[in-house]
Amino acid sequence: MRLSKNFWLNELIKSPTADRFGISNEPTTDHLLNLTVVTHQILQPVRDKFGVITVNSGYRSPTLNTKVGGSKTSQHCNGEAVDFEQLGTPNYEVAKWISDNLEFDQLILEFYNPKQGANSGWVHCSHKKDGSNRGKIMTAMRINKKTVYKKGFVLR
Ligand SMILES: [Zn+2]
């Protein structure tokens, strides 16, 4: 099933963890609609701007989300959030472009550390189809083996 010009549902529900543990990862009709919206509002514009992107995680059923250690309130479980990266562009540049050009609910620059290479980490971005998008920007980093979320883009 095609969701937009360059994206297929398959890319947004595939999960090696779900395959490995035999976990069902089929979205409900409502979640499928959310996936379609986030694809049109976020993924396709990023693809048009930067070229081919890799989706690391889209929809997660509650069982899968628990298995991968996702937050209990994860927007991945509603089909509203996607994790992705563009291999030729530093993740910070992609995230910055989204923040300047697209409507989003939450944008997180995850574990990007230029010292570990331009491709380190990934971008998490969510979009709510009801329009209640907060435009919230965060940076996730690991400090003393703990995940810490900071407000805005924080580079180090
Ligand atoms: Zn995510």
Side-chain angles (χ1 to χ4, degrees):
M1 182 185 175
R2 195 177 210 145
L3 299 182
S4 75
K5 191 172 131 218
N6 298 107
F7 293 93
W8 297 76
L9 176 60
N10 184 37
E11 297 171 74
L12 288 137
I13 60 175
K14 72 172 162 51
S15 158
T17 306
D19 291 344
R20 189 145 57 97
F21 294 97
I23 297 167
S24 163
N25 199 39
E26 284 297 315
T28 63
T29 310
D30 192 42
H31 293 161
L32 179 58
L33 183 56
N34 290 337
L35 282 172
T36 306
V37 173
V38 77
T39 298
H40 278 267
Q41 297 295 324
I42 307 293
L43 292 180
Q44 189 64 50
V46 171
R47 167 70 165 79
D48 291 344
K49 171 71 182 172
F50 295 100
V52 174
I53 61 177
T54 307
V55 178
N56 298 328
S57 182
Y59 177 69
R60 291 178 201 155
S61 66
T63 312
L64 175 60
N65 190 55
T66 304
K67 197 81 191 174
V68 299
S71 144
K72 281 194 180 81
T73 55
S74 172
Q75 291 183 302
H76 286 283
C77 293
N78 300 327
E80 291 174 333
V82 280
D83 293 345
F84 55 93
E85 52 193 314
Q86 205 287 333
L87 290 178
T89 313
N91 285 309
Y92 168 65
E93 269 180 45
V94 174
K96 180 78 176 66
W97 183 83
I98 293 171
S99 73
D100 289 338
N101 294 281
L102 304 180
E103 183 186 332
F104 58 90
D105 185 49
Q106 185 159 246
L107 174 63
I108 310 176
L109 181 59
E110 304 235 29
F111 309 111
Y112 171 67
N113 184 345
K115 289 179 202 131
Q116 292 170 1
N119 289 323
S120 59
W122 63 90
V123 177
H124 165 109
C125 191
S126 65
H127 181 98
K128 290 162 80 92
K129 69 178 185 299
D130 67 4
S132 63
N133 291 297
R134 296 169 291 171
K136 193 174 168 191
I137 299 171
M138 312 273 284
T139 299
M141 52 175 72
R142 229 177 284 282
I143 297 174
N144 298 329
K145 295 180 181 168
K146 280 197 176 139
T147 299
V148 176
Y149 290 91
K150 303 200 176 217
K151 225 177 148 185
F153 292 130
V154 180
L155 300 181
R156 58 172 185 174

